[in-house]
Each structure stands twice: as structure tokens, then as C-alpha cells.
């Protein structure tokens, strides 16, 4: 008796992008409005299927990033985030997504791609709080991407990816506050940043006016790993939160 011939199940592969930037001091994520089914009209992450069987996953991520932001690979931090393959995540069938995290400063107003009706920068908090419902499992992907960024800000120089080539320590502090969702003590932050060797380096005598006295400019240093790390500060609980914890 011959064994039945095993036939691999049909599986489709996509890439999705969690693209983060700061706009007016707020952490924002790029979302598109889906132009077709499933979930037509709902906000979702930019992304799509591989162009062809020979396209590498990283190449597909760079292609989608270029189409959505018009940025070349050298201008953006891009890293693989995680793989999402739940059996019911896509009503069209078994679709596995390799999600990527992308970070860059001063990203322009987005232009919707060929399969999207619209695109916009949305405050990350609207997604994290559940105020805005996303298609597929994209809210979970956004949450995972932001948590990755929050964690890496402690131990790596990722914060500089949110800044331009030259920046002030105040602007760097703004990154930490926006991504972590907290307010930081300026003097304490300045002291901690200066204690991390190779994190940032002075950019010479150039200075930028900030309304008061000029602020010294810095650029990203040579070290990608922070030592000592910048311990993450958690948001303080409100009285309403504390009452809820006690119930």
C-alpha cells in the first residue's frame, strides 16, 4: 500500500511595514486606506505581496518602502520585525506576512500606492489605545513594532534614526519622550546621554537658535550599543488608573 503523496498547502507571502517618524513632537505611524477587499476602506499598514517568486523578502520591503515614502535604503533604518502567520489572519487564504520596522526623520506627506485609496500619518497612540481599528492583525503588528522601538532605545543608538544628520540633545530627548510616552527631566537626561561613550558626538562649533541661547549640535556617534544603557522610564499612573487597579 503506497503512502499518499504529500502536497504542500498553498501559502502566500507578503511584507508589511511599520513606518515610524516624529511629526510635531508626536510619534506617528504610516497607514493606508485599503482600496479593495478584504477590509475595503479600513486603515492598514502599507505592504503587499512579493512581485514574483524570485524577489527577496528584504528587496520587497525596500520596494514597498520606496513606493510609500520615496526614500532610498540609505536614508532610513529598516529591520525585520517578526513573522505573522495565523491561519485566520487573512480571509483570502493562508497568507504569511514578514513585517519590518522602518524609522526615518522628517518623512514627507505620503502618497497612496496603486492598491490604496489614501495614505496618512496617524498618531501612534490612536492605534495603541484601540481608538482606531486596523485591518487584518495590523494593530498587533504596530504594537510589536513600537515596543521593539521602545526597547531598543534603551540599549542601542536607534533614537538617532529619528533625528536628522545634526540634532540637539533637546531634540534627542523629544524622541525618547515621544516613543516612550513620558516626560523626562532635562538635566537628568543630558547627564545620562553624555555618560554614554560614543552615543553622540559634537558637530563642531555649529549651533542652532532655539529661542533662548544657542544649542550645541551633535551627530550620531560610532557606537551602536549603549553602555551604560538608558533605562526606560514608564508612564506614571493617573489617579483614575490607580483606582482601576484597586478594583
Amino acid at each position: 500500500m503506497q503512502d499518499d503523496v504529500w502536497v504542500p498547502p498553498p501559502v502566500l507571502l507578503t511584507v508589511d511595514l511599520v513606518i515610524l517618524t516624529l511629526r510635531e513632537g508626536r510619534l506617528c505611524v504610516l497607514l493606508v486606506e485599503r482600496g479593495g477587499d478584504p477590509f475595503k476602506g479600513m486603515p492598514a499598514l502599507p505592504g503587499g505581496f512579493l512581485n514574483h517568486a524570485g524577489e527577496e523578502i528584504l528587496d520587497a520591503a525596500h520596494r514597498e518602502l520606496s513606493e510609500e515614502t520615496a526614500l532610498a535604503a540609505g536614508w532610513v533604518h529598516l529591520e525585520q520585525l517578526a513573522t505573522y502567520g495565523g491561519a485566520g489572519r487573512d480571509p483570502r487564504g493562508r497568507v504569511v506576512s514578514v513585517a519590518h520596522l522602518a524609522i526615518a526623520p522628517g518623512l514627507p506627506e505620503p502618497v497612496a500606492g496603486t492598491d490604496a485609496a489614501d495614505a496618512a500619518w496617524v498618531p501612534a497612540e490612536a492605534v495603541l489605545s484601540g481608538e482606531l481599528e486596523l485591518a487584518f492583525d495590523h494593530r498587533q503588528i504596530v504594537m510589536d513594532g513600537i515596543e521593539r522601538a521602545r526597547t531598543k532605545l534603551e540599549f542601542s543608538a536607534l533614537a538617532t534614526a529619528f533625528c536628522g544628520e545634526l540634532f540637539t540633545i533637546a531634540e534627542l530627548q523629544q524622541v525618547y519622550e515621544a516613543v516612550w510616552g513620558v516626560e523626562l527631566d532635562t538635566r537628568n537626561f543630558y547627564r545620562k546621554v553624555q555618560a554614554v561613550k560614543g552615543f553622540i558626538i559634537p558637530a563642531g562649533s555649529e549651533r542652532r537658535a532655539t529661542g533662548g541661547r544657542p544649542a550645541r549640535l551633535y551627530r550620531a556617534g560610532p557606537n551602536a550599543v549603549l553602555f551604560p544603557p538608558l533605562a526606560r522610564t514608564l508612564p506614571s499612573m493617573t489617579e483614575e488608573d490607580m483606582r482601576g487597579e484597586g478594583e
Side-chain angles (χ1 to χ4, degrees):
M1 181 176 178
Q2 279 188 327
D3 292 334
D4 292 337
V5 177
W6 178 76
V7 177
V11 177
L12 297 174
L13 189 64
T14 67
V15 293
D16 286 308
L17 297 173
V18 181
I19 306 175
L20 302 178
T21 195
L22 261 60
R23 296 178 69 82
E24 298 181 354
R26 303 177 74 183
L27 180 65
C28 292
V29 59
L30 181 61
L31 298 178
V32 300
E33 179 185 331
R34 288 190 55 79
D37 291 326
F39 304 111
K40 182 177 181 180
M42 287 189 65
L45 290 171
F49 293 97
L50 299 186
N51 260 351
H52 50 82
E55 185 177 33
E56 298 292 343
I57 293 175
L58 184 59
D59 292 339
H62 280 299
R63 172 176 53 77
E64 290 289 345
L65 181 65
S66 177
E67 291 175 0
E68 298 295 344
T69 66
L71 288 179
W75 289 88
V76 65
H77 170 89
L78 181 68
E79 64 178 71
Q80 192 174 118
L81 175 61
T83 301
Y84 299 83
R89 66 180 301 272
D90 193 317
R92 293 170 294 188
R94 192 63 184 271
V95 180
V96 175
S97 174
V98 182
H100 291 71
L101 175 64
I103 294 170
L107 292 179
E109 290 296 329
V111 177
T114 55
D115 57 349
D118 196 9
W121 291 108
V122 176
E125 183 55 35
V127 179
L128 295 176
S129 66
E131 173 188 343
L132 185 64
E133 184 179 356
L134 304 189
F136 305 104
D137 53 358
H138 287 186
R139 178 171 179 258
Q140 183 62 54
I141 299 177
V142 171
M143 293 171 63
D144 292 346
I146 292 175
E147 183 57 33
R148 168 76 66 86
R150 286 174 170 173
T151 300
K152 292 192 71 170
L153 254 60
E154 295 186 71
F155 305 102
S156 78
L158 182 66
T160 59
F162 285 95
C163 301
E165 182 181 359
L166 301 178
F167 51 87
T168 66
I169 290 184
E171 290 168 338
L172 189 66
Q173 178 178 336
Q174 189 178 60
V175 171
Y176 278 88
E177 291 181 334
V179 177
W180 282 349
V182 298
E183 289 187 14
L184 299 174
D185 179 78
T186 299
R187 291 185 178 181
N188 193 35
F189 181 80
Y190 184 92
R191 177 182 57 81
K192 288 183 176 180
V193 167
Q194 294 286 40
V196 182
K197 294 183 179 179
F199 179 19
I200 60 174
I201 55 177
S205 59
E206 298 171 287
R207 292 175 179 271
R208 178 183 301 166
T210 57
R213 61 181 183 179
R216 186 177 298 276
L217 291 174
Y218 295 83
R219 57 168 46 93
N223 292 348
V225 177
L226 304 187
F227 186 81
L230 297 177
R232 177 171 163 186
T233 302
L234 298 177
S236 58
M237 295 181 65
T238 64
E239 291 184 8
E240 182 177 349
D241 292 331
M242 289 187 285
R243 286 197 299 269
E245 286 288 324
E247 293 177 355

